[in-house]
Amino acid sequence: EAMLMSLRKLLGVNARGAQTSALSAVSAVASRIEEKFQAYYKAFMPGVTSILMKAKGRDNMKLRAKAIECVGVIAAAVGRETFAPQFKSIMEFLLKTQGHGLTADDPQQNAILMCCARICQCMGSDFSPYVRMVVPPLLKAAADSKGAFMQDGEDDFTNQEGYEAVDFSVRGAGNKRLVVNEAFLQEKAVACNMLYQYASELEEGFFPYVEATAKIMVPLMIYRYNEPVRVAAVESIPKLMNCLKERAEKAQQPLTAVSNLFSFAFQNYMRTMTLEADVGLLIGILESFSDAIDLLPGPMERKLIDEAHRRLSFVLSESNRRRNERALEYKNADDEIREEIDEENEQEDEMIGYVGS
């Protein structure tokens, strides 16, 4: 209690560093105690929103971003009933801020994206009226190819700020160059994750954007330049299928669109599960595939079953190979290494459980 009251006072201090630290601390507390923060909501929310409204100018970009982040964390912690009275005013402020055209280096951009996603988590279907304002920029960012691309090694490369290039040779294809911009890749990953979150939280309310999202996400299931992008794309497929299912059932229509989306994503499910070397990520792929199958209105087509069987047999074969390699290592390993091997084998068991399902 005493610590929280001290944080409340710091929010009102006219010192950027102190306010930034206080906002971080409030976010951490709200995230930790979740619904118990309802008791402190009226004490803290006015101070946080006051910073949002009053901290103007370029020098306060980071402070405003931290306040925006804090609002989202608090909303997700306290829930719909507590946050509802300020829901509309906060969303109007966020969208107005976004609409003013933030610069590329403004941390408020990502803060607004994350905050809106947390508010959506808090408000559920009540967030639906804002989908048309928050989703189109995410679709654009998710589809953007500026983050990474390949070119011929002989092509001219202008070393633009933020870009790095790696030259290499490919047998039979000559010299190639990979050009990467980590900042753009991060923006793409954030956008993909936000689309996943909205599809997950809004269900039928996300229906108007299912087709556009699927056209972007399915190719990204095998996106080789960024792991978080691949993960978000793979995890989004069952959520998008569920959006279609909820819509069709409400309208008492056939679930044809659900089956069509599964068929559209199927080959990239097969590719990513046989290309992925990380067992932890492979578990996520298999879980997503299993969830997608569960949403189908009927059994899979015979040709898809046969293809899945071939791919899953390969996954099991690779798992056995890794186990055999660890068994040889285990014989001469010390206790610490043996513990690591046991943990890796437990992860293999979890993965096999999804293969069996």
Side-chain angles (χ1 to χ4, degrees), residues 28-322:
V29 171
S31 179
R32 181 67 181 271
I33 67 175
E34 296 182 330
E35 69 274 4
K36 293 179 182 178
F37 197 80
Q38 291 170 357
Y40 308 102
Y41 181 81
K42 290 183 178 179
F44 281 95
M45 202 59 167
V48 176
T49 54
S50 176
I51 292 173
L52 279 181
M53 307 301 175
K54 294 179 181 178
K56 302 186 183 297
R58 188 172 177 80
D59 290 343
N60 285 315
M61 283 194 309
K62 290 183 178 179
L63 177 60
R64 289 195 300 274
K66 188 62 69 175
I68 291 168
E69 177 189 341
C70 190
V71 167
V73 171
I74 290 174
V78 300
R80 183 198 306 242
E81 186 176 341
T82 302
F83 183 69
Q86 290 184 284
F87 168 47
K88 289 186 178 181
S89 61
I90 291 292
M91 283 305 304
E92 287 169 5
F93 172 84
L94 294 175
L95 294 172
K96 183 179 178 181
T97 301
Q98 191 178 50
H100 282 166
L102 303 175
T103 58
D105 63 340
D106 194 328
Q108 290 179 100
Q109 294 217 54
N110 276 348
I112 289 172
L113 292 179
M114 296 297 290
C115 183
C116 286
R118 288 184 173 119
I119 290 175
C120 176
Q121 178 187 344
C122 166
M123 299 303 298
S125 59
D126 289 346
F127 190 86
S128 296
Y130 298 98
V131 172
R132 62 184 178 84
M133 290 172 270
V134 299
V135 169
L138 295 177
L139 292 171
K140 183 179 178 181
D144 202 321
S145 62
K146 295 197 299 288
F149 55 90
M150 297 284 292
Q151 62 178 197
D152 289 333
E154 288 74 24
D155 291 348
D156 292 334
F157 171 67
T158 304
N159 192 10
Q160 301 176 45
E161 185 178 355
Y163 282 93
E164 296 180 3
V166 178
D167 293 315
F168 57 95
S169 296
V170 178
R171 182 177 295 178
N175 296 326
K176 297 293 178 181
R177 176 179 297 119
L178 172 62
V179 183
V180 176
N181 184 303
E182 287 295 338
F184 285 137
L185 279 180
Q186 184 177 358
E187 287 180 16
K188 187 181 187 77
V190 168
C192 289
N193 188 54
M194 293 302 99
L195 289 169
Y196 160 78
Q197 293 287 348
Y198 286 129
S200 178
E201 294 294 336
L202 294 172
E203 297 183 332
E204 187 208 345
F206 194 76
F207 174 77
Y209 298 98
V210 169
E211 183 178 356
T213 303
K215 286 180 179 178
I216 294 169
M217 291 297 211
V218 169
L220 292 179
M221 293 170 71
I222 53 172
Y223 188 71
R224 52 187 167 172
Y225 305 123
N226 186 271
E227 178 184 301
V229 168
R230 285 198 311 277
V231 169
V234 168
E235 291 182 348
S236 72
I237 303 305
K239 304 304 181 183
L240 296 174
M241 289 175 63
N242 189 56
C243 293
L244 294 173
K245 182 174 182 287
E246 294 281 338
R247 176 70 173 217
E249 288 179 343
K250 185 175 180 179
Q252 297 183 322
Q253 295 175 343
L255 302 181
T256 308
V258 179
S259 299
N260 289 344
L261 177 51
F262 179 80
S263 297
F264 179 44
F266 180 81
Q267 285 302 326
N268 277 358
Y269 266 127
M270 298 299 99
R271 293 187 184 101
T272 192
M273 72 172 59
T274 49
L275 291 172
E276 185 55 65
D278 186 295
V279 177
L281 295 180
L282 184 54
I283 289 171
I285 293 166
L286 293 170
E287 182 178 9
S288 172
F289 185 57
S290 177
D291 289 345
I293 291 173
D294 288 343
L295 287 163
L296 289 173
M300 290 168 57
E301 297 176 34
R302 184 74 249 175
K303 63 180 181 179
L304 298 186
I305 293 175
D306 292 342
E307 175 69 8
H309 184 265
R310 284 194 295 271
R311 299 288 183 143
L312 292 172
S313 294
F314 173 80
V315 170
L316 289 176
S317 174
E318 286 295 291
S319 177
N320 288 331
R321 179 186 61 77
R322 290 190 295 267

Side-chain angles (χ1 to χ4, degrees), residues 322-330 341 344-345 348:
R322 290 190 295 267
R323 283 181 184 275
N324 291 334
E325 290 176 354
R326 293 190 200 107
L328 294 173
E329 184 182 359
Y330 197 89
I341 291 174
E344 289 171 355
N345 284 336
E348 297 280 2

